[in-house]
Amino acid sequence: MFPIRRAWTTLLALTLSTIAAFGAETAPPPFTYTDINTVVPGHPELRYSDLLRQLVPDLRLNETIATGTAPTQPIPHVMGKPFVAHFDTTVSFASFETRTIQSEGANRLLILTAVGLRTNPDDPVLLLAFSDDASPKLLDVMDVSMGDTVTIGQPFRIGAHDQAIVTSSDYANEGQTQSADAVLFMRNGKFSSVGGFFRTGTLLCGFERTQTLDLTTQKPLAAAPYDDIKVTINDIGRPLKDGCAQPLGLAPYADQYSALYQWNAATGFFDGDTAEIDKLKDLNDTRQ
């Protein structure tokens, strides 16, 4: 698993990787901004630096980089307690991505931005949520870093008035890629998790293992604000003709491991039966 935060699967039930089709809903194209002075769509009087000042009030611009004093308030981590984001005294922001999602019928503007140069996977990558009204307000912020690279997916619908988002972290080392993908939505103006998992990919002598995830939604049997969400990890192994001198000779396979997440009104969280996916985790731990 990841070289840090191994206990994530016991602290949270989180996951995702590649998103399948969600009915007829078409995802908008991604927007990658490399200039923090970019104007916020729909708010010609505001730039993204203005929004980030709600987190870092003394943010100072230097061409396309902004620096300021690190936040003093604890910023939670996607893995949950007791993890929190850790900052140097001075923080900086440069490139970032944005998305707009729907939460309880209202639009929320999301910003994914790395803090500093990120020389190791523990350096924060922040996901900030703002209201999308005449004067956008910072609603919530979370550190979603769990790997060398962190990306954000496209919104997908989980109910008539709500969408969710996926942040993906990847870590590669010596022929193995380890990924952790968090499925997040917003409720009462705060981030909440649907579920999540680790995935692994391994390149062996003459053999390759890959794991991808499909996600589909379906209407719940009983009335609920959110749809049921089914996640399926596709675990695939295939021989490679890569010139390996002594291939392992492993047989190809294609297996699936699924979990169904359903909204629990009593607890205010999604519950999932992850027995199958737990089996895959154990299998990954014992494989060569």
Side-chain angles (χ1 to χ4, degrees):
M1 305 305 290
F2 278 66
I4 57 173
R5 296 168 176 153
R6 290 175 177 266
W8 185 48
T9 51
T10 62
L11 292 171
L12 283 180
L14 284 175
T15 200
L16 208 66
S17 118
T18 56
I19 300 179
F22 294 91
E25 186 171 20
T26 302
F31 297 95
T32 300
Y33 297 90
T34 56
D35 186 348
I36 202 166
N37 289 301
T38 302
V39 173
V40 179
H43 302 277
E45 76 288 358
L46 291 176
R47 301 179 185 275
Y48 282 100
S49 56
D50 297 320
L51 297 184
L52 291 176
R53 282 195 183 93
Q54 295 186 41
L55 179 69
V56 182
D58 66 348
L59 199 65
R60 302 174 299 278
L61 295 178
N62 180 11
E63 295 181 352
T64 59
I65 298 176
T67 60
T69 304
T72 57
Q73 74 273 29
I75 293 180
H77 194 275
V78 67
M79 291 192 315
K81 295 179 180 180
F83 300 101
V84 294
H86 295 283
F87 302 100
D88 293 332
T89 303
T90 300
V91 294
S92 62
F93 305 96
S95 61
F96 54 95
E97 290 189 80
T98 72
R99 299 289 187 269
T100 298
I101 67 169
Q102 191 177 43
S103 172
E104 299 169 309
N107 286 338
R108 305 303 187 201
L109 176 63
L110 305 185
I111 297 178
L112 180 76
T113 181
V115 178
L117 298 177
R118 297 205 71 244
T119 57
N120 68 74
D122 232 5
D123 292 338
V125 175
L126 301 182
L127 183 64
L128 302 95
F130 296 84
S131 62
D132 191 18
D133 47 26
S135 299
K137 296 295 189 296
L138 178 62
L139 301 174
D140 202 10
V141 57
M142 174 182 288
D143 180 8
V144 294
S145 172
M146 288 179 289
D148 288 334
T149 61
V150 184
T151 58
I152 190 170
Q154 296 296 340
F156 62 94
R157 190 156 296 283
I158 60 170
H161 306 291
D162 293 271
Q163 294 175 306
I165 201 79
V166 180
T167 63
S168 299
S169 298
D170 297 297
Y171 174 83
N173 184 39
E174 297 182 352
Q176 187 175 63
T177 301
Q178 302 167 341
S179 302
D181 311 296
V183 187
L184 303 171
F185 70 112
M186 296 199 71
R187 183 172 175 82
N188 298 324
K190 301 297 180 182
F191 287 117
S192 186
S193 67
V194 175
F197 306 88
F198 284 111
R199 297 171 292 110
T200 62
T202 308
L203 184 62
L204 302 169
C205 185
F207 199 80
E208 179 184 44
R209 303 185 193 276
T210 59
Q211 292 177 357
T212 62
L213 187 144
D214 292 332
L215 186 153
T216 57
T217 61
Q218 61 191 40
K219 295 300 179 183
L221 295 178
Y226 307 110
D227 295 337
D228 295 346
I229 302 172
K230 183 179 181 181
V231 295
T232 301
I233 296 180
N234 303 291
D235 181 32
I236 299 170
R238 64 186 184 95
L240 295 177
K241 295 181 180 180
D242 57 0
C244 179
Q246 294 181 318
L248 296 176
L250 298 173
Y253 63 86
D255 299 316
Q256 292 184 329
Y257 301 82
S258 297
L260 183 67
Y261 288 89
Q262 297 176 301
W263 179 251
N264 186 328
T267 63
F269 294 99
F270 278 90
D271 293 335
D273 180 359
T274 62
E276 287 189 18
I277 293 176
D278 291 342
K279 291 180 181 179
L280 178 60
K281 176 185 177 298
D282 294 338
L283 183 59
N284 285 335
D285 289 341
T286 59
R287 279 173 169 166
Q288 59 184 25

